[in-house]
Amino acid sequence: MSTSSRTERHQATREEILSVAWALSTEKGLTGWSLRELAAAVGMRAPSLYVYFAAKDHIYDAMFRHSYEALLDAGTSADLPDDPRARLRAIAGTFFDFATDNPARLQLMFWRVIPGFTPSPEAYAASVQVVERVREAFEQIGITDPAALDLWTALMSGLVTQQVSNEPGGERWRRLLDDAVEMFASAQVR
Amino acid sequence: MSTSSRTERHQATREEILSVAWALSTEKGLTGWSLRELAAAVGMRAPSLYVYFAAKDHIYDAMFRHSYEALLDAGTSADLPDDPRARLRAIAGTFFDFATDNPARLQLMFWRVIPGFTPSPEAYAASVQVVERVREAFEQIGITDPAALDLWTALMSGLVTQQVSNEPGGERWRRLLDDAVEMFASAQVR
DNA sequence: CAGCGATCCTAACAATGTTCGGGACAGTTC
DNA sequence: GAACTGTCCCGAACATTGTTAGGATCGCTG
């Protein structure tokens, strides 16, 4: 286990750094911590972080990717009802609750909070996969129009954004979710 | 004109600084310029800016306020048709075009792009006024349910956000606007 | 055992927003 | 007109940021 142990330890440290970065982001905001702070919380000095990440943005990139993979997981584990509208409501609810659960994560995923940060192709692929998953779900229901999918993503992101930026922790837009789904569904059958 | 000329010149310089800040933001991004850069473009050094603004965030605050006042202007100058749905379409179109016109402005108004920046009460009041204006317009049409207004703002912000962050300069979500309005309107009459 | 690469450090760099202290000049007051 | 006062602007400096350079240590590999 010699060679493997080396890269294994490397990987383990990488993930510990990420885990601490998440804790700091949740506690002090996505941009509320410095590399020196992060390093100290892991038990090292700032320059040593560069052994594991080439730049601070690379840490954000890994977090970005993790977020979308987590969303994919949340979407997969949720079991969906058969009735089309109930199914849409379930998808919407899962997404909304996931998105509003951690504001720092939401900022990273949907807002451009970090100046100059653009997700890497690999990280971006994870986000594309999420949309693809929704597309498949829509197809099963019988909604194949790409425009409908675009409208759906706009509606969902709008609701979540309003909730988090105007009434964080509240339910004002959460309560509208079923109505919004109903509105969307009715517009599809014409 | 002694005393008045002093404060007048002060005010004029303040606005010149803001104007240059807008130019820099449009050209290099909302957070793509430094105080030294801004100062140089106005013909002074960074510390002198503090004569006019107590901090960089105060410059952003003034820009934030200006943005919402401009949106209010755009909403006021647009003349609205009588037919309710056509009226909604006009409101939506005005808003969408204004919001997507300047990405830096959109970021400042609706996204939390500047770490730690929160609009001052006076600046925030301008944004409240915009929502209030929409509320009045809705009232005239006959939509008085506050939930409908919340749904509307979510829908609009979602469409604009998707357009700017996924296809800046394009029309993919702009084309959905009338359909979105139709969907919203149909859901109100039940 | 010799060597080499991974890991971690201290020191330092450039850039940032911001503060300090002082100089120049216009306006007001005696 | 002289003295004062406050505004405007500056150079120097500070703390903090992400990041790089160079060197020491230590463990795995030949």
Side-chain angles (χ1 to χ4, degrees), chain B residues 35-109:
Chain B
L35 288 184
R36 284 169 178 80
E37 233 175 316
L38 171 61
V42 191
M44 33 171 100
R45 307 302 157 87
S48 304
L49 293 174
Y50 284 77
V51 172
Y52 304 95
F53 296 94
K56 193 181 188 183
D57 276 4
H58 285 50
I59 300 180
Y60 284 126
D61 196 64
M63 293 171 73
F64 179 93
R65 187 175 171 174
H66 270 181
S67 300
Y68 274 99
E69 282 165 0
L71 175 55
L72 209 59
D73 278 357
T76 319
S77 62
D79 59 343
L80 299 175
D82 284 334
D83 173 61
R85 298 205 177 197
R87 194 174 260 255
L88 280 179
R89 276 198 301 273
I91 294 176
T94 303
F95 171 77
F96 193 100
D97 293 338
F98 174 88
T100 52
D101 180 51
N102 187 341
R105 188 173 57 190
L106 178 72
Q107 288 175 25
L108 182 60
M109 295 174 79

Side-chain angles (χ1 to χ4, degrees), chain A residues 72 125-139 149:
Chain A
L72 210 59
S127 81
V128 171
Q129 213 173 343
V130 169
V131 179
E132 177 58 21
R133 180 67 57 91
V134 177
R135 200 192 56 75
E136 287 168 13
F138 269 47
E139 214 165 35
L149 189 57

Side-chain angles (χ1 to χ4, degrees), chain A residues 106-185:
Chain A
L106 178 72
Q107 288 174 24
L108 182 60
M109 295 175 80
F110 302 107
W111 303 351
R112 291 267 168 271
V113 194
I114 295 146
F117 166 70
T118 323
S120 65
E122 308 94 59
Y124 187 71
S127 81
V128 171
Q129 213 173 343
V130 169
V131 179
E132 177 58 21
R133 180 67 57 91
V134 177
R135 200 192 56 75
E136 287 168 13
F138 269 47
E139 214 165 35
Q140 285 180 1
I141 297 178
I143 304 176
T144 54
D145 184 6
L149 189 57
D150 284 346
L151 187 54
W152 173 266
T153 57
L155 187 57
M156 290 301 121
S157 96
L159 286 164
V160 166
T161 299
Q162 289 293 309
Q163 182 63 64
V164 172
S165 52
N166 292 316
E167 197 209 42
E171 288 211 326
R172 186 163 149 198
W173 278 269
R174 178 62 173 94
R175 273 193 297 265
L176 303 178
L177 197 52
D178 283 356
D179 282 348
V181 170
E182 186 60 33
M183 168 182 85
F184 176 82

Side-chain angles (χ1 to χ4, degrees), chain B residues 104-145:
Chain B
R105 188 173 57 190
L106 178 72
Q107 288 175 25
L108 182 60
M109 295 174 79
F110 301 108
W111 304 351
R112 293 267 169 270
V113 193
I114 295 146
F117 166 70
T118 323
S120 65
E122 308 93 60
Y124 187 71
S127 81
V128 171
Q129 214 174 343
V130 169
V131 179
E132 177 58 20
R133 180 68 58 90
V134 177
R135 201 192 57 75
E136 287 168 13
F138 269 46
E139 214 165 36
Q140 285 180 0
I141 298 178
I143 304 176
T144 54
D145 184 8

